[in-house]
Amino acid sequence: MVARAEVKIGGFGGQGVILSGIIIGKAASLYDNTHATLIQAFGPEARGSACSAGVVLSEEYIGYPYIMEPKYQVIMSQEAYTKFVPELADDGVLMYEQDLVKLDDTMKPGIKAVGIPATRIAEELGGARQA
């Protein structure tokens, strides 16, 4: 574990964005004895509106829980891509929903991008909500 790791997850309500942030934080706390914080943001609608989760992981006490320059991003919608990819660190890692997100030239050249057909896989396993 590095001294501080920042993870940003973005998408729309109903995709499990907030739940993913919770799972990452709890897993780090339980299995890696790491401190974790979660900041979540979402629109007034329960489903379909933009939402994000910012997870900070650290070996030390976290005095500032907000994401400054995430090294890792999980992007589940085009709107989240447009809004959050400019924040990604120059050497960051972007994991994106390849069936819903189209990459463009706004992405920094040093970023490693990995497309995952998460919704398609979830539907094959029984429901898109597990994406």
Side-chain angles (χ1 to χ4, degrees):
M1 170 79 198
V2 295
R4 180 181 171 107
E6 299 179 348
V7 180
K8 179 82 155 206
I9 307 162
F12 52 82
Q15 289 183 303
V17 169
I18 306 300
L19 179 59
S20 296
I22 292 169
I23 291 170
I24 290 168
K26 287 192 181 279
S29 294
L30 290 171
Y31 298 111
D32 199 23
N33 199 27
T34 299
H35 297 276
T37 64
L38 170 71
I39 301 293
Q40 55 188 352
F42 46 87
E45 301 88 6
R47 292 209 185 282
S49 64
C51 64
S52 67
V55 182
V56 176
L57 307 170
S58 178
E59 295 173 338
E60 302 171 359
Y61 176 78
I62 300 169
Y64 187 76
Y66 293 95
I67 300 284
M68 294 180 284
E69 187 179 45
K71 169 88 177 193
Y72 308 98
Q73 281 188 349
V74 178
I75 300 296
M76 299 294 291
S77 73
Q78 193 67 42
E79 180 182 1
Y81 173 84
T82 302
K83 184 173 184 177
F84 299 126
V85 163
E87 301 172 2
L88 189 56
D90 291 342
D91 61 343
V93 177
L94 170 67
M95 293 161 276
Y96 65 97
E97 169 44 90
Q98 71 181 31
D99 294 338
L100 300 176
V101 177
K102 302 300 174 219
L103 304 182
D104 60 25
D105 59 356
T106 62
M107 193 168 62
K108 300 171 192 171
I111 292 173
K112 179 179 180 181
V114 179
I116 302 166
T119 303
R120 196 173 347 139
I121 292 169
E123 286 171 346
E124 290 171 4
L125 294 174
R129 290 186 60 187
Q130 288 78 24

